[in-house]
Amino acid sequence: MQNLLCTNPSFSPVLIHNFSLLSFIYSVALPRMSSKAHSSNNIAHARRTVQQLRIEASIERIKVSKASADLMNYCSEHARNDPLLMGIPASDNPFKDKKPCTIL
Amino acid sequence: MACQGLQKGETLASLKRECDNLKKKLEEERGKLNDVELHQVAEKTEVLGALSVKTRRVLKGHGNKVLCMDWCKDRRRLVSSSQDGKVIVWDAFTLNKEHGITLPCTWVMACAYAPSGCAVACGGLDNKCSVVPLSLDKTENLAAKKKSVAMHTNYVSGCTFTNSDMQLLTCSGDGTCALWDVESGQLLQSFHGHTADVLSLDLAPSETGNTFVSGGCDKKANVWDMRSGQNIQSFESHESDINCVKYYPSGDAFASASDDATCRFYDLRADREVAVYQKDSIIFGASTVDFSLSGRLLFAGYNDYTINAWDVLKGTRVSVLFGHENRISRVRVSPDGTALCSASWDNTLRIWA
C-alpha cells in the first residue's frame, strides 16, 4: 500500500481515507500488480466485458419452438424454387449435359 | 494512479463477479426458452431422398492450392484465388479463363466478386485487401490497376462487398473486422471483440438490415451492427476454431463450420444453438459451409476431402460428395441455386449440379 501512495504524485491528502480502504481491498483481493498500466488495462477490459454482457443479457428472445417453426416455414415456402433440393431437368440447368446441338 | 478509473466500491474482483453473474444469467435466460429441439419440431417434415448431384465441371488452371472462391451475380462467372498469388476469373459454363491477376503475395486467402460484376477484391498474407477493376480489354495488365483498400496488421482471412461496389467488409488475423470505403480507402468502422484471429465473415441478406456475423479462433461467433460497430450477440459452443460462418437465407439464423469436426446452426431470435451436424465417423475439421436456396440443405466441406450435405431441419446427413483429392477450402452455392462450386487444395474447383 505504501508503494501505491508513493508512486502517485497527484495523490490528494484529503482522500487518504477512501484510498486507503480501496488500496487495502485492492492489495488483498488481487495479486500485487507490477505496473499501473497493467492494472488499469485489466479494469478497462473487465468493465468492457461487463458492459458487453449487460447488452447481450438484455436482448429479447423467442422460444425455440417458435424459431424452429419459422425456419421450417421458410424452408417449405422456398423448397420448390431450390434446384439442388428438387432437382431440375437438364434443359433448365446450364451445367447439366444436354443433347449436343449443331453449330450453324 | 493505480486505482484510477475505479468507482466507489468497485474493484477488479467485483467486476469479475458481475461478469460471472451476467454469464450465468445469460445461460439461464437462453435455457428458459429451450422448450423443444429443432429436429423434434421437424419430425413431421418429409425425409429427403439422396441428392442426385454430380461433378459437372472441373476447373483446372491454378498451380497451387485454391483457397477461396466467389460467384458473380450473373450466376455463371466466378473468381478464385490460390496459394501461389494468382486470382482467376472463370466463366463456369465454358471453363474459359476470362481474367488472370498475379498478386505479389502468396496465400491469397480471400476473394470476392463485386455486386456489379465489374471488379473483384482479394487479399491475404500481404495484410491488405485490394480491389481490381475487371477490364474488357484482355491484353490489359489488371494487376497494374489494383487498388489497396483495406490495411490490417495481420493476414486478411475474408472479404465481401456490402450491397454496392463502394464498401468492403474485411476480417483479419489481427482479431478485428473492418468496413472500408473503396474509393478513398478510408476506414469507416472497425469491429473489436474477438480475442484471436477472425477467420470468416458473412453479411446478412439485404432484407434483414445492416448486420454481419464473424467467426474465429477464439471459438466465438459474433453478430455485429455495421453502423455502430457494436457486438450485438455472441455464441460460444464450438470446441475449436470456427473456420466459416454463413447466414441462413431468411437472415434469422446462421451456420458455422469448425475444426472440432462439427457444423452448428444458431437461431438469432432464440439467441442459441439449435442444431449440431456431426457424426462419429466424421473426425476431420469442417472448413466451409453454405446453404442451398431454400435453406433446407447445408453443404459443408471438410479436411477429409469430402463435402457433406446435411438436412438442416432434421440434423441428418443426406449425401456425401466425393471427387476432390485434397482438403476442401470453400463451398458456395450459385446465386440462383442451380449449382454448388467447391474449391480445394488439390488445385482445382468443381461445379456440382
Side-chain angles (χ1 to χ4, degrees), chain B residues 29-287:
Chain B
E29 292 295 315
R30 283 172 167 171
K32 275 184 206 162
L33 299 162
N34 193 22
D35 50 348
V36 75
E37 301 270 335
L38 173 60
H39 65 88
Q40 289 169 311
V41 175
E43 258 158 31
K44 40 191 154 109
T45 322
E46 258 176 45
V47 175
L48 295 176
L51 297 180
S52 59
V53 160
K54 303 195 298 192
T55 301
R56 305 288 174 175
R57 302 277 192 281
V58 181
L59 281 69
K60 295 190 194 175
H62 276 293
N64 214 318
K65 307 179 173 69
V66 188
L67 303 174
C68 188
M69 60 79 42
D70 189 26
W71 286 93
C72 177
K73 282 201 157 70
D74 71 0
R75 304 159 325 223
R76 70 184 279 171
R77 283 180 183 77
L78 53 95
V79 62
S80 61
S81 62
S82 80
Q83 188 196 337
D84 60 2
K86 293 265 195 322
V87 173
I88 301 179
V89 176
W90 312 75
D91 176 334
F93 289 1
T94 62
L95 296 188
N96 194 22
K97 295 183 199 39
E98 299 205 336
H99 303 277
I101 307 158
T102 305
L103 296 178
C105 74
T106 56
W107 287 89
V108 187
M109 291 175 253
C111 63
Y113 226 117
S116 66
C118 298
V120 292
C122 46
L125 273 193
D126 54 354
N127 298 0
K128 296 194 284 202
C129 193
S130 311
V131 174
V132 182
L134 299 176
S135 161
L136 289 172
D137 180 358
K138 300 295 156 101
T139 57
E140 201 170 349
N141 179 14
L142 290 180
K145 306 185 83 183
K146 176 170 73 90
K147 184 184 160 67
S148 290
V149 171
M151 309 276 189
H152 279 278
T153 53
N154 209 329
Y155 64 90
V156 171
S157 48
C159 65
T160 180
F161 284 88
T162 58
N163 298 326
S164 75
D165 285 19
M166 297 288 90
Q167 290 182 355
L168 191 66
L169 192 57
T170 57
C171 61
S172 164
D174 65 14
T176 69
C177 301
L179 181 65
W180 310 85
D181 177 271
V182 173
E183 193 58 47
S184 62
Q186 200 193 347
L187 174 66
L188 298 171
Q189 184 64 260
S190 68
F191 306 89
H192 297 264
H194 278 288
T195 51
D197 303 21
V198 185
L199 298 180
S200 171
L201 55 68
D202 188 39
L203 207 52
S206 39
E207 309 82 51
T208 48
N210 289 325
T211 60
F212 73 93
V213 62
S214 65
C217 294
D218 57 358
K219 311 178 203 167
K220 282 206 187 134
N222 290 339
V223 180
W224 308 86
D225 179 315
M226 264 170 51
R227 274 185 277 238
S228 65
Q230 178 67 47
N231 176 3
I232 318 170
Q233 286 170 277
S234 186
F235 301 88
E236 192 172 0
S237 61
H238 271 293
E239 292 161 20
S240 187
D241 300 0
I242 295 178
N243 295 316
C244 184
V245 287
K246 197 78 176 59
Y247 266 97
Y248 184 76
S250 72
D252 290 332
F254 71 92
S256 58
S258 163
D259 277 348
D260 66 7
T262 69
C263 294
R264 291 173 198 247
F265 191 40
Y266 300 87
D267 187 288
L268 292 171
R269 296 179 309 152
D271 190 37
R272 62 175 296 122
E273 173 195 287
V274 292
V276 184
Y277 308 107
Q278 65 187 343
K279 255 178 134 56
D280 290 341
S281 53
I282 300 176
I283 55 172
F284 284 84
S287 57

